[in-house]
Amino acid sequence: APLLVNVNPGAMQWATDLIGYDALTSYGSPSYYAQVMFSNHVGDEVLDSSLDGGGPRLFYSVTYSHAKGVVFLKLVNASSAAQPLAIELHGATQGRKAAKLISLSAHTPEETNTIYAPTRLKPLETTLHDLAGSFQHTLPPYSIQVLEISVK
């Protein structure tokens, strides 16, 4: 599908485009924001990791940026149920730390942004506090999250 779609009546050919526009304005789709989240949080080393439990629609990636001293944990929950996670970071934290959490989530897989509601779904940035080498985290339904954990 193309990158851009004209959202005027009768003009839309694909429902999965990244950026919608009309003559006056434009908006990013949830897919656009997911691409931005992933591209802005790329490490230069893929870390050894494993996943025990979780559903068949739970996906993850763990990378490390040597230049920034940051571990990027990318999580995707494509199911309708929240996924409780027990996260262990062996050797990555000394004492209690905080991590940046960037989260994008929807109520249904069909929920999207429109020309009239351009920011209905967009990434929200918060902070997780009191992280140790292992911690509990719940991944909401239909969500994409990036945890940015400083290890320097």
Side-chain angles (χ1 to χ4, degrees):
L3 174 64
L4 303 169
V5 63
N6 182 335
V7 296
N8 287 311
M12 186 180 287
Q13 294 178 352
W14 305 92
T16 58
D17 298 289
L18 294 182
I19 299 170
Y21 70 92
D22 66 8
L24 299 175
T25 189
S26 65
Y27 66 92
S29 70
S31 295
Y32 167 81
Y33 287 120
Q35 295 295 325
V36 169
M37 288 169 64
F38 286 169
S39 68
N40 286 339
H41 299 90
V42 178
D44 49 34
E45 179 183 352
V46 176
L47 300 179
D48 287 334
S49 59
S50 64
L51 177 65
D52 295 324
R57 300 191 59 170
L58 179 65
F59 308 95
Y60 74 101
S61 167
V62 185
T63 61
Y64 175 68
S65 169
H66 287 271
K68 295 180 180 179
V70 172
V71 171
F72 299 114
L73 174 57
K74 298 173 186 171
L75 302 164
V76 177
N77 182 4
S79 75
S80 61
Q83 297 286 322
L85 305 174
I87 298 172
E88 293 185 35
L89 302 170
H90 299 285
T93 58
Q94 302 297 325
R96 298 189 177 273
K97 297 220 178 226
K100 185 189 304 184
L101 174 66
I102 302 101
S103 185
L104 176 67
S105 63
H107 294 95
T108 69
E110 294 80 21
E111 189 174 8
T112 191
N113 294 336
T114 68
I115 205 77
Y116 303 108
T119 58
R120 177 184 298 147
L121 301 176
K122 65 178 184 176
L124 301 175
E125 193 174 302
T126 58
T127 303
L128 298 178
H129 296 281
D130 298 328
L131 300 183
S134 62
F135 59 95
Q136 302 294 314
H137 180 69
T138 300
L139 191 57
Y142 304 122
S143 67
I144 298 170
Q145 293 188 335
V146 176
L147 276 84
E148 186 177 309
I149 305 163
S150 177
V151 293
K152 276 192 173 179

